[in-house]
Amino acid sequence: MAAADFYFAINATFRFILQNYGEEALHRYWRALGAEYYAPLADRFRTGGLDEVARYWTAFFAAEPGGDVSVAREKDEVILTVRECPAIRWLRLHNREICPGYCQHCRHVSTAIAENAGMRFTLTGGGGTCEQTFSLRDGESPA
Amino acid sequence: MIGVQDFCGHYDWTFAYLRHTYGEAALQRYWAEAIAFDSQRHAYELIRDKGFDGMEAYWGHTLTQEEAGYAITRTEDVFRIDMHDCPSKGFLIENGLAAYDDYCAHCMGWIGPVAQRAGFTIDHEHNHRGQCWWQLYRPDEAADLNAARAKAGDKNVELRPDWRRGDRHVYRQCRQMPPEHEDSPDAAT
């Protein structure tokens, strides 16, 4: 199991960029992270399709410490139902001030990953509870 | 979602991103401010309030949680860590990741400011192979640095046959020494 205290560093990193360089800079950081660091993951999604998306996120949330998330492979999409986000849970548990817009990193990072994989990403909700969807772009057939 | 399971990977990538985007000074400030006193404020509070006991509480918990291969040695005036198998650098090596060219520097980047604000200083070396040692002590006291090294015995990472195979970076009192210092006689005695 990964060390949950690393959520403190992720939170502090977002705040450092936000406070020193502004909101747009934080969005650019997230987009770049999704496009560059996670490029190998986008390749996996592009090659393996929605089955790989479901496999990845199922294993991902099994490895993160805590949280309550289910992953559903539907016909044309994969839906992540986050009932309790492991990061938000840990930060709240330890009385850490959560960086404003923390939840938006999922939107920006996963959108960049999805775009590179030829997919679409949507997110609704926030504050520790949300629904995230990876779907195929119109006209693309499932792998 | 950015997770903690591959934290060291995106942490390393972030170092390179910050330096490339905002410059080396910004990266140093990120470690010295955001990591030292935001992320790791619990470490600072423990060390500030409890000294060596706080160090043992912090690193004993953190390094055990990260499943590190390490040893802690204490004398009356020195707190020493010998890291034989750094899980953080090990993750990068295992996964072939090296976005930033001196990942190991981040530890001194945040631990140095924490220790100094709490009234300590640090001697340290790392070899970029997942091995390093640390000695923390109060700069205004005549700490017997060799006693801690001797007490570490066979846990002393400098005695490993492969210690010198890496590219060693040396710090004395939180300041990085020029390369020629790295082969000085006292570096591994």
Side-chain angles (χ1 to χ4, degrees), chain A residues 19-68:
Chain A
Q19 289 183 343
N20 287 281
Y21 307 106
E23 187 176 359
E24 283 304 312
L26 184 55
H27 294 174
R28 284 195 297 274
Y29 164 69
W30 288 334
R31 292 287 180 141
L33 185 66
E36 296 174 23
Y37 174 73
Y38 287 108
L41 180 62
D43 288 343
R44 280 173 56 184
F45 287 0
R46 178 182 290 280
T47 304
L50 292 173
D51 287 342
E52 183 61 18
V53 173
R55 265 195 301 273
Y56 172 78
W57 288 111
T58 299
F60 178 93
F61 285 109
E64 290 297 296
D68 180 6

mmCIF file of all heavy atoms in Angstrom, chain A residues 19-68:
data_model
loop_
_atom_site.group_PDB
_atom_site.id
_atom_site.type_symbol
_atom_site.label_atom_id
_atom_site.label_comp_id
_atom_site.label_asym_id
_atom_site.label_seq_id
_atom_site.Cartn_x
_atom_site.Cartn_y
_atom_site.Cartn_z
ATOM 1 N N GLN A 19 -0.429 29.729 -5.715
ATOM 2 C CA GLN A 19 -0.119 30.973 -4.996
ATOM 3 C C GLN A 19 0.967 31.794 -5.686
ATOM 4 O O GLN A 19 0.972 33.014 -5.618
ATOM 5 C CB GLN A 19 0.306 30.662 -3.553
ATOM 6 C CG GLN A 19 -0.854 30.172 -2.692
ATOM 7 C CD GLN A 19 -0.465 29.929 -1.253
ATOM 8 O OE1 GLN A 19 0.711 29.811 -0.910
ATOM 9 N NE2 GLN A 19 -1.465 29.816 -0.391
ATOM 10 N N ASN A 20 1.886 31.116 -6.330
ATOM 11 C CA ASN A 20 3.004 31.839 -6.944
ATOM 12 C C ASN A 20 2.792 32.204 -8.401
ATOM 13 O O ASN A 20 3.344 33.205 -8.867
ATOM 14 C CB ASN A 20 4.286 31.008 -6.823
ATOM 15 C CG ASN A 20 4.821 30.995 -5.408
ATOM 16 O OD1 ASN A 20 5.451 31.958 -4.966
ATOM 17 N ND2 ASN A 20 4.555 29.923 -4.669
ATOM 18 N N TYR A 21 1.992 31.407 -9.107
ATOM 19 C CA TYR A 21 1.897 31.612 -10.559
ATOM 20 C C TYR A 21 0.454 31.724 -11.070
ATOM 21 O O TYR A 21 0.249 32.039 -12.233
ATOM 22 C CB TYR A 21 2.647 30.488 -11.291
ATOM 23 C CG TYR A 21 4.062 30.335 -10.799
ATOM 24 C CD1 TYR A 21 4.428 29.261 -9.991
ATOM 25 C CD2 TYR A 21 5.031 31.297 -11.087
ATOM 26 C CE1 TYR A 21 5.729 29.129 -9.509
ATOM 27 C CE2 TYR A 21 6.327 31.182 -10.601
ATOM 28 C CZ TYR A 21 6.664 30.097 -9.821
ATOM 29 O OH TYR A 21 7.950 29.995 -9.337
ATOM 30 N N GLY A 22 -0.516 31.428 -10.230
ATOM 31 C CA GLY A 22 -1.904 31.633 -10.608
ATOM 32 C C GLY A 22 -2.630 30.390 -11.101
ATOM 33 O O GLY A 22 -2.031 29.342 -11.342
ATOM 34 N N GLU A 23 -3.932 30.561 -11.248
ATOM 35 C CA GLU A 23 -4.803 29.436 -11.574
ATOM 36 C C GLU A 23 -4.509 28.865 -12.959
ATOM 37 O O GLU A 23 -4.502 27.639 -13.141
ATOM 38 C CB GLU A 23 -6.265 29.889 -11.485
ATOM 39 C CG GLU A 23 -7.269 28.768 -11.632
ATOM 40 C CD GLU A 23 -8.703 29.250 -11.432
ATOM 41 O OE1 GLU A 23 -8.906 30.458 -11.151
ATOM 42 O OE2 GLU A 23 -9.614 28.422 -11.570
ATOM 43 N N GLU A 24 -4.286 29.746 -13.927
ATOM 44 C CA GLU A 24 -4.017 29.247 -15.279
ATOM 45 C C GLU A 24 -2.723 28.425 -15.310
ATOM 46 O O GLU A 24 -2.613 27.435 -16.030
ATOM 47 C CB GLU A 24 -3.934 30.406 -16.269
ATOM 48 C CG GLU A 24 -5.296 30.976 -16.648
ATOM 49 C CD GLU A 24 -6.227 29.907 -17.212
ATOM 50 O OE1 GLU A 24 -5.785 29.150 -18.094
ATOM 51 O OE2 GLU A 24 -7.370 29.807 -16.738
ATOM 52 N N ALA A 25 -1.745 28.867 -14.526
ATOM 53 C CA ALA A 25 -0.485 28.119 -14.456
ATOM 54 C C ALA A 25 -0.708 26.729 -13.855
ATOM 55 O O ALA A 25 -0.086 25.749 -14.292
ATOM 56 C CB ALA A 25 0.537 28.887 -13.620
ATOM 57 N N LEU A 26 -1.576 26.673 -12.867
ATOM 58 C CA LEU A 26 -1.875 25.369 -12.263
ATOM 59 C C LEU A 26 -2.567 24.458 -13.274
ATOM 60 O O LEU A 26 -2.252 23.271 -13.362
ATOM 61 C CB LEU A 26 -2.758 25.568 -11.019
ATOM 62 C CG LEU A 26 -3.104 24.324 -10.206
ATOM 63 C CD1 LEU A 26 -1.854 23.566 -9.766
ATOM 64 C CD2 LEU A 26 -3.949 24.705 -8.986
ATOM 65 N N HIS A 27 -3.467 25.029 -14.049
ATOM 66 C CA HIS A 27 -4.124 24.230 -15.103
ATOM 67 C C HIS A 27 -3.107 23.747 -16.141
ATOM 68 O O HIS A 27 -3.175 22.602 -16.604
ATOM 69 C CB HIS A 27 -5.226 25.051 -15.780
ATOM 70 C CG HIS A 27 -6.366 25.389 -14.867
ATOM 71 N ND1 HIS A 27 -7.402 26.209 -15.223
ATOM 72 C CD2 HIS A 27 -6.616 25.019 -13.580
ATOM 73 C CE1 HIS A 27 -8.249 26.327 -14.218
ATOM 74 N NE2 HIS A 27 -7.785 25.626 -13.202
ATOM 75 N N ARG A 28 -2.165 24.623 -16.493
ATOM 76 C CA ARG A 28 -1.145 24.218 -17.475
ATOM 77 C C ARG A 28 -0.282 23.079 -16.916
ATOM 78 O O ARG A 28 0.089 22.151 -17.644
ATOM 79 C CB ARG A 28 -0.259 25.414 -17.844
ATOM 80 C CG ARG A 28 -0.908 26.411 -18.792
ATOM 81 C CD ARG A 28 0.122 27.364 -19.406
ATOM 82 N NE ARG A 28 0.785 28.185 -18.409
ATOM 83 C CZ ARG A 28 0.305 29.349 -17.954
ATOM 84 N NH1 ARG A 28 -0.830 29.828 -18.426
ATOM 85 N NH2 ARG A 28 0.971 30.034 -17.039
ATOM 86 N N TYR A 29 0.036 23.172 -15.628
ATOM 87 C CA TYR A 29 0.814 22.103 -14.985
ATOM 88 C C TYR A 29 0.055 20.777 -15.063
ATOM 89 O O TYR A 29 0.622 19.750 -15.437
ATOM 90 C CB TYR A 29 1.090 22.486 -13.534
ATOM 91 C CG TYR A 29 1.537 21.351 -12.635
ATOM 92 C CD1 TYR A 29 2.794 20.753 -12.784
ATOM 93 C CD2 TYR A 29 0.701 20.866 -11.635
ATOM 94 C CE1 TYR A 29 3.194 19.707 -11.961
ATOM 95 C CE2 TYR A 29 1.097 19.831 -10.801
ATOM 96 C CZ TYR A 29 2.342 19.251 -10.971
ATOM 97 O OH TYR A 29 2.728 18.213 -10.146
ATOM 98 N N TRP A 30 -1.194 20.810 -14.729
ATOM 99 C CA TRP A 30 -1.980 19.578 -14.763
ATOM 100 C C TRP A 30 -2.073 19.012 -16.188
ATOM 101 O O TRP A 30 -1.971 17.797 -16.386
ATOM 102 C CB TRP A 30 -3.389 19.843 -14.217
ATOM 103 C CG TRP A 30 -3.443 20.051 -12.729
ATOM 104 C CD1 TRP A 30 -2.561 19.558 -11.795
ATOM 105 C CD2 TRP A 30 -4.423 20.811 -12.000
ATOM 106 N NE1 TRP A 30 -2.948 19.965 -10.534
ATOM 107 C CE2 TRP A 30 -4.078 20.724 -10.627
ATOM 108 C CE3 TRP A 30 -5.557 21.538 -12.358
ATOM 109 C CZ2 TRP A 30 -4.829 21.344 -9.623
ATOM 110 C CZ3 TRP A 30 -6.304 22.150 -11.371
ATOM 111 C CH2 TRP A 30 -5.948 22.057 -10.021
ATOM 112 N N ARG A 31 -2.298 19.898 -17.154
ATOM 113 C CA ARG A 31 -2.400 19.436 -18.549
ATOM 114 C C ARG A 31 -1.073 18.824 -19.017
ATOM 115 O O ARG A 31 -1.057 17.804 -19.698
ATOM 116 C CB ARG A 31 -2.791 20.601 -19.464
ATOM 117 C CG ARG A 31 -4.207 21.107 -19.248
ATOM 118 C CD ARG A 31 -5.213 20.137 -19.806
ATOM 119 N NE ARG A 31 -6.576 20.626 -19.585
ATOM 120 C CZ ARG A 31 -7.553 20.514 -20.465
ATOM 121 N NH1 ARG A 31 -7.352 19.899 -21.611
ATOM 122 N NH2 ARG A 31 -8.760 20.959 -20.181
ATOM 123 N N ALA A 32 0.004 19.482 -18.651
ATOM 124 C CA ALA A 32 1.322 18.962 -19.047
ATOM 125 C C ALA A 32 1.602 17.624 -18.368
ATOM 126 O O ALA A 32 2.144 16.699 -18.988
ATOM 127 C CB ALA A 32 2.414 19.968 -18.686
ATOM 128 N N LEU A 33 1.216 17.517 -17.107
ATOM 129 C CA LEU A 33 1.392 16.252 -16.392
ATOM 130 C C LEU A 33 0.630 15.131 -17.103
ATOM 131 O O LEU A 33 1.162 14.037 -17.323
ATOM 132 C CB LEU A 33 0.896 16.415 -14.943
ATOM 133 C CG LEU A 33 1.082 15.250 -13.979
ATOM 134 C CD1 LEU A 33 2.551 14.991 -13.693
ATOM 135 C CD2 LEU A 33 0.349 15.542 -12.665
ATOM 136 N N GLY A 34 -0.603 15.435 -17.461
ATOM 137 C CA GLY A 34 -1.412 14.431 -18.151
ATOM 138 C C GLY A 34 -0.847 14.068 -19.514
ATOM 139 O O GLY A 34 -0.837 12.901 -19.914
ATOM 140 N N ALA A 35 -0.363 15.079 -20.240
ATOM 141 C CA ALA A 35 0.110 14.843 -21.604
ATOM 142 C C ALA A 35 1.498 14.211 -21.644
ATOM 143 O O ALA A 35 1.799 13.415 -22.537
ATOM 144 C CB ALA A 35 0.128 16.170 -22.365
ATOM 145 N N GLU A 36 2.347 14.554 -20.665
ATOM 146 C CA GLU A 36 3.745 14.094 -20.723
ATOM 147 C C GLU A 36 4.007 12.919 -19.776
ATOM 148 O O GLU A 36 4.344 11.818 -20.216
ATOM 149 C CB GLU A 36 4.678 15.265 -20.388
ATOM 150 C CG GLU A 36 4.591 16.388 -21.413
ATOM 151 C CD GLU A 36 5.402 17.610 -21.005
ATOM 152 O OE1 GLU A 36 6.344 17.481 -20.207
ATOM 153 O OE2 GLU A 36 5.074 18.706 -21.506
ATOM 154 N N TYR A 37 3.845 13.152 -18.494
ATOM 155 C CA TYR A 37 4.160 12.070 -17.543
ATOM 156 C C TYR A 37 3.282 10.845 -17.790
ATOM 157 O O TYR A 37 3.740 9.710 -17.729
ATOM 158 C CB TYR A 37 3.996 12.564 -16.097
ATOM 159 C CG TYR A 37 4.154 11.454 -15.082
ATOM 160 C CD1 TYR A 37 5.424 10.916 -14.809
ATOM 161 C CD2 TYR A 37 3.046 10.914 -14.441
ATOM 162 C CE1 TYR A 37 5.566 9.867 -13.921
ATOM 163 C CE2 TYR A 37 3.189 9.870 -13.543
ATOM 164 C CZ TYR A 37 4.451 9.352 -13.275
ATOM 165 O OH TYR A 37 4.592 8.312 -12.392
ATOM 166 N N TYR A 38 2.007 11.133 -18.082
ATOM 167 C CA TYR A 38 1.074 10.014 -18.276
ATOM 168 C C TYR A 38 0.950 9.584 -19.749
ATOM 169 O O TYR A 38 0.001 8.865 -20.089
ATOM 170 C CB TYR A 38 -0.304 10.363 -17.711
ATOM 171 C CG TYR A 38 -0.331 10.361 -16.191
ATOM 172 C CD1 TYR A 38 -0.427 11.545 -15.471
ATOM 173 C CD2 TYR A 38 -0.245 9.168 -15.470
ATOM 174 C CE1 TYR A 38 -0.439 11.555 -14.083
ATOM 175 C CE2 TYR A 38 -0.257 9.162 -14.088
ATOM 176 C CZ TYR A 38 -0.353 10.358 -13.397
ATOM 177 O OH TYR A 38 -0.360 10.348 -12.028
ATOM 178 N N ALA A 39 1.879 9.996 -20.591
ATOM 179 C CA ALA A 39 1.829 9.584 -22.000
ATOM 180 C C ALA A 39 1.830 8.046 -22.149
ATOM 181 O O ALA A 39 1.080 7.507 -22.980
ATOM 182 C CB ALA A 39 2.992 10.200 -22.772
ATOM 183 N N PRO A 40 2.638 7.317 -21.378
ATOM 184 C CA PRO A 40 2.582 5.859 -21.504
ATOM 185 C C PRO A 40 1.208 5.280 -21.144
ATOM 186 O O PRO A 40 0.772 4.278 -21.730
ATOM 187 C CB PRO A 40 3.650 5.376 -20.499
ATOM 188 C CG PRO A 40 4.594 6.535 -20.367
ATOM 189 C CD PRO A 40 3.713 7.751 -20.471
ATOM 190 N N LEU A 41 0.536 5.926 -20.186
ATOM 191 C CA LEU A 41 -0.807 5.454 -19.823
ATOM 192 C C LEU A 41 -1.793 5.719 -20.958
ATOM 193 O O LEU A 41 -2.638 4.871 -21.274
ATOM 194 C CB LEU A 41 -1.275 6.153 -18.538
ATOM 195 C CG LEU A 41 -2.670 5.757 -18.047
ATOM 196 C CD1 LEU A 41 -2.728 4.263 -17.712
ATOM 197 C CD2 LEU A 41 -3.066 6.597 -16.827
ATOM 198 N N ALA A 42 -1.662 6.878 -21.598
ATOM 199 C CA ALA A 42 -2.521 7.180 -22.742
ATOM 200 C C ALA A 42 -2.308 6.158 -23.852
ATOM 201 O O ALA A 42 -3.263 5.727 -24.509
ATOM 202 C CB ALA A 42 -2.245 8.596 -23.239
ATOM 203 N N ASP A 43 -1.065 5.749 -24.042
ATOM 204 C CA ASP A 43 -0.775 4.719 -25.048
ATOM 205 C C ASP A 43 -1.485 3.408 -24.694
ATOM 206 O O ASP A 43 -2.017 2.723 -25.568
ATOM 207 C CB ASP A 43 0.736 4.479 -25.137
ATOM 208 C CG ASP A 43 1.462 5.637 -25.809
ATOM 209 O OD1 ASP A 43 0.790 6.452 -26.472
ATOM 210 O OD2 ASP A 43 2.696 5.727 -25.663
ATOM 211 N N ARG A 44 -1.442 3.085 -23.399
ATOM 212 C CA ARG A 44 -2.137 1.860 -22.964
ATOM 213 C C ARG A 44 -3.630 1.954 -23.252
ATOM 214 O O ARG A 44 -4.253 0.978 -23.705
ATOM 215 C CB ARG A 44 -1.932 1.647 -21.455
ATOM 216 C CG ARG A 44 -0.603 1.024 -21.098
ATOM 217 C CD ARG A 44 -0.396 0.986 -19.597
ATOM 218 N NE ARG A 44 -1.458 0.287 -18.869
ATOM 219 C CZ ARG A 44 -1.517 0.208 -17.538
ATOM 220 N NH1 ARG A 44 -0.577 0.793 -16.797
ATOM 221 N NH2 ARG A 44 -2.485 -0.455 -16.953
ATOM 222 N N PHE A 45 -4.213 3.089 -22.971
ATOM 223 C CA PHE A 45 -5.652 3.264 -23.204
ATOM 224 C C PHE A 45 -5.961 3.222 -24.708
ATOM 225 O O PHE A 45 -6.958 2.647 -25.125
ATOM 226 C CB PHE A 45 -6.124 4.601 -22.619
ATOM 227 C CG PHE A 45 -6.197 4.640 -21.108
ATOM 228 C CD1 PHE A 45 -5.862 3.534 -20.329
ATOM 229 C CD2 PHE A 45 -6.609 5.799 -20.446
ATOM 230 C CE1 PHE A 45 -5.925 3.590 -18.938
ATOM 231 C CE2 PHE A 45 -6.684 5.855 -19.061
ATOM 232 C CZ PHE A 45 -6.334 4.754 -18.302
ATOM 233 N N ARG A 46 -5.089 3.844 -25.486
ATOM 234 C CA ARG A 46 -5.313 3.856 -26.939
ATOM 235 C C ARG A 46 -5.255 2.431 -27.501
ATOM 236 O O ARG A 46 -6.077 2.036 -28.329
ATOM 237 C CB ARG A 46 -4.269 4.722 -27.634
ATOM 238 C CG ARG A 46 -4.377 4.752 -29.148
ATOM 239 C CD ARG A 46 -3.272 5.603 -29.764
ATOM 240 N NE ARG A 46 -3.472 7.014 -29.472
ATOM 241 C CZ ARG A 46 -4.316 7.799 -30.135
ATOM 242 N NH1 ARG A 46 -5.027 7.299 -31.143
ATOM 243 N NH2 ARG A 46 -4.450 9.069 -29.834
ATOM 244 N N THR A 47 -4.301 1.675 -26.993
ATOM 245 C CA THR A 47 -4.117 0.306 -27.488
ATOM 246 C C THR A 47 -5.160 -0.654 -26.920
ATOM 247 O O THR A 47 -5.725 -1.482 -27.644
ATOM 248 C CB THR A 47 -2.708 -0.201 -27.106
ATOM 249 O OG1 THR A 47 -1.749 0.706 -27.620
ATOM 250 C CG2 THR A 47 -2.458 -1.590 -27.671
ATOM 251 N N GLY A 48 -5.398 -0.519 -25.629
ATOM 252 C CA GLY A 48 -6.276 -1.497 -24.968
ATOM 253 C C GLY A 48 -7.729 -1.099 -24.896
ATOM 254 O O GLY A 48 -8.566 -1.902 -24.474
ATOM 255 N N GLY A 49 -8.030 0.159 -25.266
ATOM 256 C CA GLY A 49 -9.418 0.593 -25.279
ATOM 257 C C GLY A 49 -10.038 0.667 -23.895
ATOM 258 O O GLY A 49 -9.345 0.761 -22.869
ATOM 259 N N LEU A 50 -11.343 0.637 -23.873
ATOM 260 C CA LEU A 50 -12.062 0.821 -22.612
ATOM 261 C C LEU A 50 -11.813 -0.316 -21.630
ATOM 262 O O LEU A 50 -11.886 -0.112 -20.406
ATOM 263 C CB LEU A 50 -13.557 0.991 -22.884
ATOM 264 C CG LEU A 50 -13.941 2.289 -23.607
ATOM 265 C CD1 LEU A 50 -15.425 2.282 -23.973
ATOM 266 C CD2 LEU A 50 -13.603 3.515 -22.753
ATOM 267 N N ASP A 51 -11.529 -1.502 -22.133
ATOM 268 C CA ASP A 51 -11.185 -2.602 -21.211
ATOM 269 C C ASP A 51 -9.941 -2.245 -20.402
ATOM 270 O O ASP A 51 -9.863 -2.518 -19.197
ATOM 271 C CB ASP A 51 -10.941 -3.901 -21.991
ATOM 272 C CG ASP A 51 -12.228 -4.504 -22.515
ATOM 273 O OD1 ASP A 51 -13.307 -4.137 -22.014
ATOM 274 O OD2 ASP A 51 -12.144 -5.341 -23.444
ATOM 275 N N GLU A 52 -8.977 -1.637 -21.063
ATOM 276 C CA GLU A 52 -7.745 -1.260 -20.375
ATOM 277 C C GLU A 52 -8.006 -0.108 -19.407
ATOM 278 O O GLU A 52 -7.412 -0.043 -18.320
ATOM 279 C CB GLU A 52 -6.662 -0.869 -21.387
ATOM 280 C CG GLU A 52 -5.310 -0.523 -20.770
ATOM 281 C CD GLU A 52 -4.682 -1.672 -19.988
ATOM 282 O OE1 GLU A 52 -5.101 -2.840 -20.187
ATOM 283 O OE2 GLU A 52 -3.792 -1.401 -19.159
ATOM 284 N N VAL A 53 -8.873 0.799 -19.812
ATOM 285 C CA VAL A 53 -9.248 1.897 -18.905
ATOM 286 C C VAL A 53 -9.837 1.328 -17.620
ATOM 287 O O VAL A 53 -9.467 1.737 -16.514
ATOM 288 C CB VAL A 53 -10.270 2.842 -19.587
ATOM 289 C CG1 VAL A 53 -10.788 3.883 -18.587
ATOM 290 C CG2 VAL A 53 -9.636 3.538 -20.785
ATOM 291 N N ALA A 54 -10.741 0.375 -17.770
ATOM 292 C CA ALA A 54 -11.381 -0.236 -16.594
ATOM 293 C C ALA A 54 -10.362 -0.997 -15.754
ATOM 294 O O ALA A 54 -10.369 -0.914 -14.512
ATOM 295 C CB ALA A 54 -12.515 -1.167 -17.036
ATOM 296 N N ARG A 55 -9.472 -1.720 -16.417
ATOM 297 C CA ARG A 55 -8.437 -2.475 -15.681
ATOM 298 C C ARG A 55 -7.545 -1.530 -14.884
ATOM 299 O O ARG A 55 -7.238 -1.770 -13.721
ATOM 300 C CB ARG A 55 -7.573 -3.276 -16.669
ATOM 301 C CG ARG A 55 -8.011 -4.724 -16.862
ATOM 302 C CD ARG A 55 -6.916 -5.534 -17.558
ATOM 303 N NE ARG A 55 -6.560 -4.997 -18.872
ATOM 304 C CZ ARG A 55 -7.186 -5.329 -20.002
ATOM 305 N NH1 ARG A 55 -8.174 -6.187 -19.987
ATOM 306 N NH2 ARG A 55 -6.798 -4.807 -21.154
ATOM 307 N N TYR A 56 -7.113 -0.460 -15.543
ATOM 308 C CA TYR A 56 -6.192 0.471 -14.892
ATOM 309 C C TYR A 56 -6.817 1.086 -13.646
ATOM 310 O O TYR A 56 -6.215 1.078 -12.564
ATOM 311 C CB TYR A 56 -5.768 1.585 -15.860
ATOM 312 C CG TYR A 56 -4.975 2.674 -15.169
ATOM 313 C CD1 TYR A 56 -3.630 2.494 -14.860
ATOM 314 C CD2 TYR A 56 -5.580 3.876 -14.773
ATOM 315 C CE1 TYR A 56 -2.904 3.480 -14.194
ATOM 316 C CE2 TYR A 56 -4.855 4.861 -14.109
ATOM 317 C CZ TYR A 56 -3.523 4.660 -13.823
ATOM 318 O OH TYR A 56 -2.822 5.633 -13.157
ATOM 319 N N TRP A 57 -8.015 1.617 -13.796
ATOM 320 C CA TRP A 57 -8.608 2.332 -12.659
ATOM 321 C C TRP A 57 -9.025 1.388 -11.535
ATOM 322 O O TRP A 57 -8.994 1.750 -10.361
ATOM 323 C CB TRP A 57 -9.776 3.199 -13.120
ATOM 324 C CG TRP A 57 -9.311 4.404 -13.893
ATOM 325 C CD1 TRP A 57 -9.468 4.648 -15.218
ATOM 326 C CD2 TRP A 57 -8.557 5.518 -13.377
ATOM 327 N NE1 TRP A 57 -8.870 5.844 -15.570
ATOM 328 C CE2 TRP A 57 -8.308 6.401 -14.454
ATOM 329 C CE3 TRP A 57 -8.069 5.854 -12.117
ATOM 330 C CZ2 TRP A 57 -7.591 7.596 -14.320
ATOM 331 C CZ3 TRP A 57 -7.358 7.049 -11.970
ATOM 332 C CH2 TRP A 57 -7.129 7.904 -13.056
ATOM 333 N N THR A 58 -9.384 0.171 -11.895
ATOM 334 C CA THR A 58 -9.706 -0.808 -10.850
ATOM 335 C C THR A 58 -8.472 -1.106 -10.010
ATOM 336 O O THR A 58 -8.519 -1.094 -8.767
ATOM 337 C CB THR A 58 -10.246 -2.111 -11.478
ATOM 338 O OG1 THR A 58 -11.440 -1.812 -12.212
ATOM 339 C CG2 THR A 58 -10.546 -3.150 -10.413
ATOM 340 N N ALA A 59 -7.344 -1.333 -10.694
ATOM 341 C CA ALA A 59 -6.091 -1.602 -9.974
ATOM 342 C C ALA A 59 -5.610 -0.357 -9.241
ATOM 343 O O ALA A 59 -5.092 -0.446 -8.117
ATOM 344 C CB ALA A 59 -5.023 -2.072 -10.962
ATOM 345 N N PHE A 60 -5.809 0.796 -9.863
ATOM 346 C CA PHE A 60 -5.365 2.058 -9.256
ATOM 347 C C PHE A 60 -6.032 2.273 -7.905
ATOM 348 O O PHE A 60 -5.362 2.519 -6.890
ATOM 349 C CB PHE A 60 -5.694 3.215 -10.204
ATOM 350 C CG PHE A 60 -5.342 4.572 -9.672
ATOM 351 C CD1 PHE A 60 -4.115 5.141 -9.956
ATOM 352 C CD2 PHE A 60 -6.234 5.289 -8.872
ATOM 353 C CE1 PHE A 60 -3.780 6.401 -9.463
ATOM 354 C CE2 PHE A 60 -5.905 6.548 -8.373
ATOM 355 C CZ PHE A 60 -4.672 7.097 -8.665
ATOM 356 N N PHE A 61 -7.335 2.194 -7.870
ATOM 357 C CA PHE A 61 -8.023 2.483 -6.607
ATOM 358 C C PHE A 61 -7.851 1.366 -5.588
ATOM 359 O O PHE A 61 -7.968 1.607 -4.387
ATOM 360 C CB PHE A 61 -9.499 2.804 -6.869
ATOM 361 C CG PHE A 61 -9.690 4.174 -7.443
ATOM 362 C CD1 PHE A 61 -10.064 4.358 -8.759
ATOM 363 C CD2 PHE A 61 -9.448 5.302 -6.663
ATOM 364 C CE1 PHE A 61 -10.211 5.639 -9.293
ATOM 365 C CE2 PHE A 61 -9.592 6.586 -7.190
ATOM 366 C CZ PHE A 61 -9.970 6.750 -8.506
ATOM 367 N N ALA A 62 -7.529 0.174 -6.056
ATOM 368 C CA ALA A 62 -7.209 -0.894 -5.102
ATOM 369 C C ALA A 62 -5.880 -0.609 -4.412
ATOM 370 O O ALA A 62 -5.663 -1.009 -3.254
ATOM 371 C CB ALA A 62 -7.142 -2.240 -5.825
ATOM 372 N N ALA A 63 -4.985 0.099 -5.110
ATOM 373 C CA ALA A 63 -3.653 0.374 -4.550
ATOM 374 C C ALA A 63 -3.603 1.657 -3.734
ATOM 375 O O ALA A 63 -2.710 1.819 -2.893
ATOM 376 C CB ALA A 63 -2.626 0.449 -5.679
ATOM 377 N N GLU A 64 -4.513 2.582 -3.995
ATOM 378 C CA GLU A 64 -4.520 3.822 -3.208
ATOM 379 C C GLU A 64 -5.023 3.513 -1.795
ATOM 380 O O GLU A 64 -5.869 2.641 -1.597
ATOM 381 C CB GLU A 64 -5.417 4.869 -3.866
ATOM 382 C CG GLU A 64 -4.863 5.425 -5.161
ATOM 383 C CD GLU A 64 -3.541 6.175 -4.983
ATOM 384 O OE1 GLU A 64 -3.519 7.203 -4.303
ATOM 385 O OE2 GLU A 64 -2.523 5.710 -5.537
ATOM 386 N N PRO A 65 -4.490 4.233 -0.809
ATOM 387 C CA PRO A 65 -4.894 3.947 0.571
ATOM 388 C C PRO A 65 -6.255 4.564 0.902
ATOM 389 O O PRO A 65 -6.417 5.776 0.894
ATOM 390 C CB PRO A 65 -3.782 4.617 1.394
ATOM 391 C CG PRO A 65 -3.220 5.669 0.504
ATOM 392 C CD PRO A 65 -3.442 5.245 -0.909
ATOM 393 N N GLY A 66 -7.209 3.726 1.183
ATOM 394 C CA GLY A 66 -8.531 4.200 1.584
ATOM 395 C C GLY A 66 -9.372 4.619 0.399
ATOM 396 O O GLY A 66 -9.033 4.397 -0.768
ATOM 397 N N GLY A 67 -10.498 5.241 0.715
ATOM 398 C CA GLY A 67 -11.405 5.671 -0.329
ATOM 399 C C GLY A 67 -12.454 4.614 -0.637
ATOM 400 O O GLY A 67 -12.355 3.459 -0.190
ATOM 401 N N ASP A 68 -13.439 5.040 -1.387
ATOM 402 C CA ASP A 68 -14.536 4.151 -1.756
ATOM 403 C C ASP A 68 -14.920 4.488 -3.197
ATOM 404 O O ASP A 68 -15.599 5.484 -3.447
ATOM 405 C CB ASP A 68 -15.726 4.363 -0.795
ATOM 406 C CG ASP A 68 -16.902 3.466 -1.134
ATOM 407 O OD1 ASP A 68 -16.777 2.600 -2.035
ATOM 408 O OD2 ASP A 68 -17.962 3.643 -0.504
#
